[in-house]
Amino acid sequence: MLIAGPCGIESKEQAFRIAKFVKEQGATHFRGGAFKGQNYPVVNGKPEYLGLGKDAIEIQKDIQKELDFPCVCDAQSFHQAFLICTSGIKYLMVGARNMDNLALLRDIRTLYNDEPEDRKIILKRGPSSTVHEWIGAAEHLGGPDRVILCARGVVHFDRHDYTRYRLDLVGMAEVRCYHPEYKLIVDPSHGSGNRKLINVLSRCALAIADGLMIETHYEPDTSPTDAPQTIDFNEFKKIAKLYREYNEKA
Ligand code: PEP
Ligand code: MN
């Protein structure tokens, strides 16, 4: 799996331009948040960016239909999960901040009960959660037939200069060795918070995981959320090449 797209969908033009490019390069799925939010309700004097909501879901539906490109969208509430599920967007994602919201996970499991098995739920690891808790959350969502685990960074002590979060290599190895029944993908974007590290981290990730999820934008610095970790088209081209080479060898 090579999942790529912006942190958040900003407009139909933006989403289509990115989706077309990453698909041409070999991405298997388009990502793009519909429901965003920031750590503070007011950021630099402006209200937090909340995303396009339902309009973004409509845009993803169009991408699936017009470009024949399956999409991934994350939900932070049951209402949002319901909208994503009923819209037919291929994969639902449960973001890092909700991994341990077990009541939400149980409700989402019930929501997906009658959905075909190929409609997966991507479960991010919470930044402060243990691997044991992550697997427990995955079981609440329906286990390995329904869930794809997604490693993203965990909190760490060395945040000041280079990285906001840090990918936990040992945690990924633990999943591989103790829970081989789960598919595991890696998100180096939220795994580091720094676009300069994405290429090297992707190489490491491909050695251990079943896929990558990368935040990509034609003008990363204009992204309303997660700009510092978002890569441009040129960088994505290099990662798509790595992914192709990896698949040819496999
Ligand atoms: C995202 O993928 O844009 C996102 C919000 O990720 P996380 O839940 O890992 O912070
Ligand atoms: Mn993001």
Side-chain angles (χ1 to χ4, degrees), residues 7 31 36 74 93 95-97 124 152 190 215 226:
C7 180
R31 63 148 288 147
K36 303 309 299 182
D74 71 311
M93 183 159 78
R97 281 164 197 78
K124 294 251 187 121
R152 53 91 83 211
H190 299 85
E215 285 186 338
D226 288 346

Side-chain angles (χ1 to χ4, degrees), residues 85-110:
C85 178
T86 52
S87 71
I89 288 174
K90 187 84 184 200
Y91 290 179
L92 174 72
M93 183 159 78
V94 175
R97 281 164 197 78
N98 271 302
M99 188 214 88
D100 53 9
N101 186 348
L102 301 183
L104 175 66
L105 304 186
R106 275 185 219 105
D107 287 347
I108 290 178
R109 178 193 187 140
T110 308

